[in-house]
PDB file of all heavy atoms in Angstrom:
ATOM      1  N   PRO L 133    -150.563  19.245 -40.883  1.00  0.00           N
ATOM      2  CA  PRO L 133    -149.366  19.882 -40.348  1.00  0.00           C
ATOM      3  C   PRO L 133    -149.700  21.238 -39.744  1.00  0.00           C
ATOM      4  O   PRO L 133    -150.851  21.662 -39.740  1.00  0.00           O
ATOM      5  CB  PRO L 133    -148.502  20.041 -41.597  1.00  0.00           C
ATOM      6  CG  PRO L 133    -149.506  20.245 -42.672  1.00  0.00           C
ATOM      7  CD  PRO L 133    -150.688  19.398 -42.316  1.00  0.00           C
ATOM      8  N   ALA L 134    -148.684  21.933 -39.263  1.00  0.00           N
ATOM      9  CA  ALA L 134    -148.873  23.289 -38.757  1.00  0.00           C
ATOM     10  C   ALA L 134    -149.424  24.170 -39.873  1.00  0.00           C
ATOM     11  O   ALA L 134    -149.197  23.928 -41.052  1.00  0.00           O
ATOM     12  CB  ALA L 134    -147.543  23.840 -38.256  1.00  0.00           C
ATOM     13  N   ASP L 135    -150.160  25.184 -39.475  1.00  0.00           N
ATOM     14  CA  ASP L 135    -150.735  26.174 -40.382  1.00  0.00           C
ATOM     15  C   ASP L 135    -151.942  25.688 -41.165  1.00  0.00           C
ATOM     16  O   ASP L 135    -152.430  26.391 -42.032  1.00  0.00           O
ATOM     17  CB  ASP L 135    -149.691  26.742 -41.361  1.00  0.00           C
ATOM     18  CG  ASP L 135    -148.573  27.467 -40.628  1.00  0.00           C
ATOM     19  OD1 ASP L 135    -148.875  28.175 -39.666  1.00  0.00           O
ATOM     20  OD2 ASP L 135    -147.420  27.311 -41.023  1.00  0.00           O
ATOM     21  N   TRP L 136    -152.420  24.489 -40.893  1.00  0.00           N
ATOM     22  CA  TRP L 136    -153.704  24.061 -41.439  1.00  0.00           C
ATOM     23  C   TRP L 136    -154.707  24.077 -40.302  1.00  0.00           C
ATOM     24  O   TRP L 136    -154.413  23.632 -39.198  1.00  0.00           O
ATOM     25  CB  TRP L 136    -153.627  22.647 -42.029  1.00  0.00           C
ATOM     26  CG  TRP L 136    -153.052  22.614 -43.400  1.00  0.00           C
ATOM     27  CD1 TRP L 136    -151.748  22.853 -43.742  1.00  0.00           C
ATOM     28  CD2 TRP L 136    -153.736  22.330 -44.610  1.00  0.00           C
ATOM     29  NE1 TRP L 136    -151.582  22.731 -45.091  1.00  0.00           N
ATOM     30  CE2 TRP L 136    -152.795  22.404 -45.657  1.00  0.00           C
ATOM     31  CE3 TRP L 136    -155.059  22.009 -44.918  1.00  0.00           C
ATOM     32  CZ2 TRP L 136    -153.130  22.182 -46.987  1.00  0.00           C
ATOM     33  CZ3 TRP L 136    -155.385  21.774 -46.243  1.00  0.00           C
ATOM     34  CH2 TRP L 136    -154.434  21.866 -47.258  1.00  0.00           C
ATOM     35  N   ILE L 137    -155.878  24.586 -40.552  1.00  0.00           N
ATOM     36  CA  ILE L 137    -156.918  24.685 -39.529  1.00  0.00           C
ATOM     37  C   ILE L 137    -158.095  23.823 -39.947  1.00  0.00           C
ATOM     38  O   ILE L 137    -158.470  23.790 -41.120  1.00  0.00           O
ATOM     39  CB  ILE L 137    -157.366  26.147 -39.358  1.00  0.00           C
ATOM     40  CG1 ILE L 137    -156.199  26.978 -38.834  1.00  0.00           C
ATOM     41  CG2 ILE L 137    -158.553  26.243 -38.407  1.00  0.00           C
ATOM     42  CD1 ILE L 137    -156.480  28.464 -38.798  1.00  0.00           C
ATOM     43  N   ALA L 138    -158.679  23.119 -38.991  1.00  0.00           N
ATOM     44  CA  ALA L 138    -159.874  22.312 -39.263  1.00  0.00           C
ATOM     45  C   ALA L 138    -160.934  22.659 -38.228  1.00  0.00           C
ATOM     46  O   ALA L 138    -160.720  22.498 -37.031  1.00  0.00           O
ATOM     47  CB  ALA L 138    -159.543  20.826 -39.203  1.00  0.00           C
ATOM     48  N   LEU L 139    -162.067  23.154 -38.695  1.00  0.00           N
ATOM     49  CA  LEU L 139    -163.185  23.501 -37.825  1.00  0.00           C
ATOM     50  C   LEU L 139    -164.425  22.811 -38.353  1.00  0.00           C
ATOM     51  O   LEU L 139    -164.784  22.969 -39.512  1.00  0.00           O
ATOM     52  CB  LEU L 139    -163.424  25.017 -37.816  1.00  0.00           C
ATOM     53  CG  LEU L 139    -162.264  25.879 -37.319  1.00  0.00           C
ATOM     54  CD1 LEU L 139    -162.549  27.344 -37.610  1.00  0.00           C
ATOM     55  CD2 LEU L 139    -162.063  25.670 -35.841  1.00  0.00           C
ATOM     56  N   GLY L 140    -165.070  22.012 -37.511  1.00  0.00           N
ATOM     57  CA  GLY L 140    -166.257  21.338 -38.013  1.00  0.00           C
ATOM     58  C   GLY L 140    -166.923  20.460 -36.990  1.00  0.00           C
ATOM     59  O   GLY L 140    -166.710  20.584 -35.787  1.00  0.00           O
ATOM     60  N   HIS L 141    -167.735  19.539 -37.480  1.00  0.00           N
ATOM     61  CA  HIS L 141    -168.561  18.679 -36.654  1.00  0.00           C
ATOM     62  C   HIS L 141    -168.204  17.230 -36.937  1.00  0.00           C
ATOM     63  O   HIS L 141    -168.061  16.824 -38.087  1.00  0.00           O
ATOM     64  CB  HIS L 141    -170.036  18.920 -36.989  1.00  0.00           C
ATOM     65  CG  HIS L 141    -170.952  18.003 -36.239  1.00  0.00           C
ATOM     66  ND1 HIS L 141    -171.325  18.243 -34.952  1.00  0.00           N
ATOM     67  CD2 HIS L 141    -171.548  16.848 -36.612  1.00  0.00           C
ATOM     68  CE1 HIS L 141    -172.141  17.261 -34.557  1.00  0.00           C
ATOM     69  NE2 HIS L 141    -172.284  16.418 -35.545  1.00  0.00           N
ATOM     70  N   SER L 142    -168.073  16.439 -35.866  1.00  0.00           N
ATOM     71  CA  SER L 142    -167.808  15.023 -36.037  1.00  0.00           C
ATOM     72  C   SER L 142    -168.750  14.246 -35.147  1.00  0.00           C
ATOM     73  O   SER L 142    -169.596  14.808 -34.453  1.00  0.00           O
ATOM     74  CB  SER L 142    -166.362  14.704 -35.653  1.00  0.00           C
ATOM     75  OG  SER L 142    -166.209  14.781 -34.252  1.00  0.00           O
TER      76      SER L 142
END
Side-chain angles (χ1 to χ4, degrees):
D135 298 319
W136 279 70
I137 296 173
L139 299 170
H141 176 81
S142 72

